[in-house]
Amino acid sequence: MKTGASDPFGDDETEIEESKMADKEGVTEEQTESETPDSNTVQFERSDLPLILRRDTVKDERESVHQLFVQDSTDGHAKDAERELESLIGDDVYRLDAREAIYLAGMRNLDTAADILREWGYDL
C-alpha cells in the first residue's frame, strides 16, 4: 500500500511501523519512483559535453587573452597550419580553436620548441 493511503480495515500500528521503517531506510516508495527514470534517456551535465558542443560562442570558456606578436614568416605558417588542420579534421575549424590547439601541441612537444629557440640563437 502506498504511504499516506489508509486502510479502514487495517491495523494502524502496522501502518505506523511500516512508515517508521521507510524513514529509517531514508527512502520512501514515492522517492524511489521519482528517482527512477521512465525512459532510456540518461541525464548528463553540460560540462560532460565536448567543448565544441557545450559552448554558445567560440569565446566561451576563454577568459584569458594571450596576445601574440609573430614574425611575418610565422604568420604565413600559421595560416597554412590552420588550413591543414581543417583538412585533417575534415570540417571547418574556428581560428581561435585552431590557434589554441597548435599552442597546446607546442606545449606537449617542448623539445621541438627548444629546437626552434636554438635556431633563433638561444643556445649561443
Side-chain angles (χ1 to χ4, degrees):
M1 183 180 302
K2 282 190 172 182
T3 306
S6 61
D7 181 2
F9 304 109
D11 186 358
D12 288 340
E13 288 182 34
T14 305
E15 288 180 23
I16 293 170
E17 191 63 30
E18 286 175 2
S19 177
K20 285 181 184 177
M21 290 188 67
D23 288 342
K24 283 182 185 176
E25 293 174 5
V27 177
T28 64
E29 188 176 334
E30 292 172 11
Q31 288 174 320
T32 304
E33 288 175 6
S34 68
E35 292 172 3
T36 305
D38 291 337
S39 68
N40 291 335
T41 60
V42 177
Q43 294 293 334
F44 59 89
E45 298 293 322
R46 186 177 177 117
S47 62
D48 294 335
L49 294 172
L51 175 66
I52 197 167
L53 297 177
R54 71 177 177 250
R55 65 186 181 189
D56 294 322
T57 70
V58 73
K59 291 184 180 180
D60 281 355
E61 298 186 34
R62 287 190 166 115
E63 288 79 30
S64 299
V65 176
H66 288 218
Q67 190 171 12
L68 182 64
F69 294 92
V70 298
Q71 301 170 50
D72 288 339
S73 61
T74 303
D75 186 49
H77 289 304
K79 290 174 183 171
D80 293 341
E82 291 165 16
R83 284 191 290 273
E84 190 171 339
L85 271 176
E86 286 185 329
S87 177
L88 290 169
I89 296 295
D91 199 359
D92 292 337
V93 176
Y94 286 108
R95 178 168 266 176
L96 279 177
D97 288 344
R99 288 179 175 176
E100 187 169 353
I102 292 167
Y103 191 43
L104 285 169
M107 289 179 212
R108 292 178 184 174
N109 298 287
L110 291 176
D111 290 338
T112 304
D115 290 343
I116 293 168
L117 290 172
R118 286 186 191 96
E119 287 173 15
W120 291 350
Y122 270 85
D123 64 346
L124 295 178

